[in-house]
Structure formats: C-alpha cells, structure tokens
Amino acid sequence: MAREPELSHTLHLSAVSPSYYRFHVEHLQSDDYSKDKDAPALIGEMDSSGSLNAHALLHLTERVRARTVFQTQQSQFVTWQFETEYRGNDFTAAVTVANPDIPRESVILVAHFLQSVSSGLVLGGELVYHRGRAEEGGILTLAGQYSRPNWVATLNAGKGGAHASYYHRASKQIQVGVEFEASTRTQETTTSFGYQMELPEANMVFRGMINSRCIIGGVLEKRLTPLPATLIMGAFVNHRGDKLQVGLGVNVG
C-alpha cells in the first residue's frame, strides 16, 4: 500500500539574493521486500522560476533497484540520468548513464563499486567515462571510509585531486566536522570546519562553518510549534570579497 503524498512549501525572502517560492512533494512506497521500507517512489520539486527537479526510485528485487533523475532550468533540460544498483552481502555496484544524446554522439557513463573489508572499513572506486564530438576520456577515483560508533573518516583521490573529511558526534546535541579538498585543475586547496548544535527544548538547530577562503556562515532553524512550519535564517560573510549574504525563509510541511 502506498502512503499519502507529503507536501511542503518554502518561501525565501532576501534583500541581497533573489527571493523565491519552492513547492516540494514526496510520494512514498510501502515495499515488503525492500530493505528500505520508506524508500521514496517519487520526489518532485518546482520553484517559482519553473525549474523542476524530480527523481523516481523503484526496487526491482530485494537486491536490485533503479532510479531516474530529471532536472530542468526553466524550460531547458539540464540533466536526465538512469541508474541501476546491485547490493550484495558485503559490496555494492552501480552503473549510471547521464545525458545520453545519440544524434550528437555524447554520453556520460559512471561505474561505482564499494567493498566492505571489515566492520568499519569500506574500500572502493569510481570510473567516469565521457564521450562527445570533440573529446573522449575517463577518470578513475579510489575511495575509502573508516567508521566507528561516533566518528567517520573518508578519503578519495584521483586524477582530479583529493578529498578528505572527518565527522565526529561529540554528544547528542553537538556534531563537528572537518573537510579538506585539493584540485589539480584549479591548483587550489580548501579546508573547512563545520558544526551543528541542537537545542531540543527550544526546537532549534544551529549550523555554522568557516573555511580557509575566509568565508564564515551560519544557519538557524526554529520549529514554530504548534504550527507545521520552520523558520530558517542564514548569513554568510566573505571577508576576501567583502560580501555579505543574508537570507530568511519559512518551510511549511
């Protein structure tokens, strides 16, 4: 039996960036043979400019699932991709076909593979192949993740650069994380630090971040009980660019 669709509305008002309205809908499935009882069957989101972001997820068997993603920018198609994933007892393999265009002879193929080595260690890789009229090539990236009950560390490296992250849950209310990224294309490195603090008694969640590019930001979410709405306030300061962005929004649903 399918569940009733869930609807939400988001209104963003800002004196710096453009204001917008966003409508979000989720149609969930109740699947007895699925490991994920509440796996989304259909998710769609459209904003006031007419841009659409939607994807459908279907469990073909207990181990095989398929997903389709469509994205438009106003009236223009931006992304359309098809993914098939197989979940084994200790590994996961997936193949994705993105933006296939037969007349222009262009396509993007992505293959993922993750293998559980131990209870906390996962190793894998990703191969991206792209073909167009003017170019053709592939990029291989190797990845690893080690997790414990209250922290997770990840690392991936390839031709395009390297990325490392560390997440730690200090307590029920406080979470912190560090991220490092190096790009061979731009010859730049970035280090970011972020944290999240939850205040259940006040129905509030605060998230903050700072990075090596001198960007500082914070977002405050306040649940407006008993109303089914959440007030969202955020501000980001770029000290190098001497820029300030302030936003205010309400999420209903």
Side-chain angles (χ1 to χ4, degrees):
M1 296 293 292
R3 292 186 175 184
E4 292 294 329
E6 297 182 4
L7 308 178
S8 66
H9 308 267
T10 301
L11 178 62
H12 177 82
L13 302 175
S14 175
V16 179
S17 59
S19 302
Y20 62 84
Y21 164 77
R22 181 178 293 133
F23 173 72
H24 182 89
V25 59
E26 291 186 7
H27 184 66
L28 305 180
Q29 67 181 4
S30 179
D31 198 344
D32 293 337
Y33 59 79
S34 170
K35 294 180 180 179
D36 301 322
K37 300 294 184 181
D38 298 330
L42 179 64
I43 294 179
E45 187 175 89
M46 178 173 286
D47 61 23
S48 52
S49 67
S51 299
L52 173 68
N53 185 353
H55 77 263
L57 179 66
L58 177 64
H59 286 259
L60 303 178
T61 67
E62 184 179 355
R63 295 182 180 272
V64 180
R65 70 175 186 176
R67 187 175 67 164
T68 305
V69 178
F70 292 96
Q71 291 180 339
T72 66
Q73 187 67 33
Q74 296 181 355
S75 61
Q76 300 294 327
F77 271 99
V78 178
T79 301
W80 56 97
Q81 67 182 40
F82 311 92
E83 176 185 328
T84 301
E85 180 185 81
Y86 180 83
R87 296 184 179 183
N89 294 330
D90 59 355
F91 72 93
T92 300
V95 177
T96 303
V97 180
N99 294 1
D101 193 335
I102 297 177
R104 297 183 179 180
E105 299 180 354
S106 65
V107 69
I108 300 175
L109 298 176
V110 183
H112 300 264
F113 182 81
L114 294 175
Q115 175 69 54
S116 177
V117 180
S118 65
S119 59
L121 180 62
V122 178
L123 299 177
E126 176 188 78
L127 176 63
V128 179
Y129 168 80
H130 62 92
R131 177 178 179 178
R133 289 184 176 181
E135 60 179 359
E136 179 181 9
I139 300 176
L140 175 64
T141 303
L142 301 179
Q145 174 180 296
Y146 188 77
S147 59
R148 302 306 299 168
N150 61 341
W151 61 270
V152 178
T154 64
L155 172 66
N156 63 70
K159 183 178 179 180
H163 178 273
S165 65
Y166 176 80
Y167 159 82
H168 187 88
R169 189 175 186 90
S171 64
K172 293 182 179 180
Q173 290 78 29
I174 300 176
Q175 305 173 45
V176 296
V178 180
E179 183 180 54
F180 172 82
E181 185 173 4
S183 174
T184 57
R185 182 178 61 86
T186 61
Q187 300 295 317
E188 293 183 353
T189 60
T190 304
T191 303
S192 304
F193 170 78
Y195 65 93
Q196 173 176 300
M197 180 180 297
E198 300 181 18
L199 302 175
E201 298 81 3
N203 295 319
M204 294 174 55
V205 177
F206 181 79
R207 300 180 180 91
M209 62 82 63
I210 181 174
N211 63 21
S212 56
R213 296 180 179 179
C214 298
I215 298 177
I216 302 175
V219 176
L220 175 65
E221 297 182 5
K222 168 67 175 178
R223 187 70 179 177
L224 303 178
T225 55
L227 300 176
T230 302
L231 176 65
I232 304 174
M233 297 180 292
F236 291 86
V237 181
N238 187 340
H239 289 278
R240 288 185 178 178
D242 195 19
K243 295 180 180 180
L244 171 65
Q245 291 184 338
V246 180
L248 174 66
V250 178
N251 188 4
V252 181

